[in-house]
Amino acid sequence: MSEHLSLLIHHDDIEQTVSRIASRVSEDYKGRPLLVVGILKGAFIFMADLVRQISIPIEIDFVTVSSYGSGTESSHRIRLMQDMTTQVKDKDVLIVEDIVDSGYTLSYVMQHAKDIGARSVAVCALADKPSRRERAVDVSYLGFTVPDEFIVGYGLDFDNKFRYLPDIYALENRDA
């Protein structure tokens, strides 16, 4: 496999954006019980940086869902691999996602949180690729809008590679 990476977003810009989002979340949820739920594996780096900068008490949980397999195109068949273990009923839930692409995964997780009793459900995404949207998803807290390219780094991966990179790159010349 031969890949080429083109820098899209420098880590300094990511840090500033995470700080801005954390401030907004802290203000918006002040005095309310907030459960921050990360969608694994992609959101773990973004979420770790985000929750360390949120200045209000929060609870943290994760879900693992699958829709991609090892390819680059969503299968649109969402499977809940690991559910939340924290009580959700009557709490505000902030779902943290690495990238909003087709919208299928987020729609599924949002509906799941509502179905198990969340008082409210909002979305915080590191990146949005609106050109790929097939399901409407309201993103309350957004880091970056990205072009219709396959991006990696800062938790985002291609076939479980490149998550460790501190910046965000476009992946070119990939073999799917």
Side-chain angles (χ1 to χ4, degrees):
M1 180 184 302
S2 173
E3 299 102 358
H4 179 264
L5 301 177
S6 297
L7 181 66
L8 286 180
I9 305 168
H10 190 273
H11 187 70
D12 291 343
D13 295 327
I14 295 170
E15 284 180 351
Q16 291 173 1
T17 297
V18 170
S19 180
R20 174 184 52 80
I21 292 170
S23 294
R24 283 193 51 220
V25 168
S26 299
E27 185 61 33
D28 290 352
Y29 288 95
K30 195 175 199 174
R32 295 164 55 189
L34 180 62
L35 173 61
V36 180
V37 177
I39 299 178
L40 294 174
K41 298 179 187 173
F44 83 101
I45 291 176
F46 171 48
M47 183 168 156
D49 288 347
L50 179 70
V51 300
R52 285 187 299 225
Q53 292 193 45
I54 292 175
S55 63
I56 58 171
I58 59 172
E59 291 181 90
I60 296 171
D61 208 335
F62 297 92
V63 294
T64 304
V65 293
S66 175
S67 68
Y68 279 90
S70 64
T72 61
E73 296 291 325
S74 175
S75 67
H76 303 312
R77 292 185 305 270
I78 311 302
R79 292 184 5 219
L80 183 63
M81 310 294 285
Q82 172 190 317
D83 201 354
M84 293 170 262
T85 57
T86 305
Q87 178 60 250
V88 173
K89 188 167 176 50
D90 297 327
K91 292 181 183 170
D92 295 308
V93 173
L94 180 64
I95 298 169
V96 178
E97 177 67 300
D98 56 356
I99 186 167
V100 184
D101 193 82
S102 68
Y104 281 92
T105 298
L106 267 175
S107 293
Y108 177 90
V109 175
M110 291 172 72
Q111 188 59 53
H112 178 65
K114 291 174 188 173
D115 290 347
I116 59 175
R119 174 182 21 226
S120 72
V121 179
V123 172
C124 175
L126 172 64
D128 183 23
K129 197 183 296 183
S131 62
R132 307 269 302 169
R133 190 81 70 252
E134 295 177 27
R135 288 257 170 121
V137 177
D138 180 29
V139 179
S140 301
Y141 307 94
L142 176 62
F144 305 94
T145 299
V146 296
D148 188 9
E149 298 182 52
F150 201 87
I151 63 172
V152 297
Y154 197 69
L156 296 150
D157 76 305
F158 171 66
D159 204 15
N160 219 19
K161 298 177 184 91
F162 306 111
R163 290 188 198 279
Y164 63 91
L165 297 170
D167 307 298
I168 296 175
Y169 297 86
L171 178 65
E172 301 167 359
N173 302 326
R174 67 183 184 273
D175 298 327

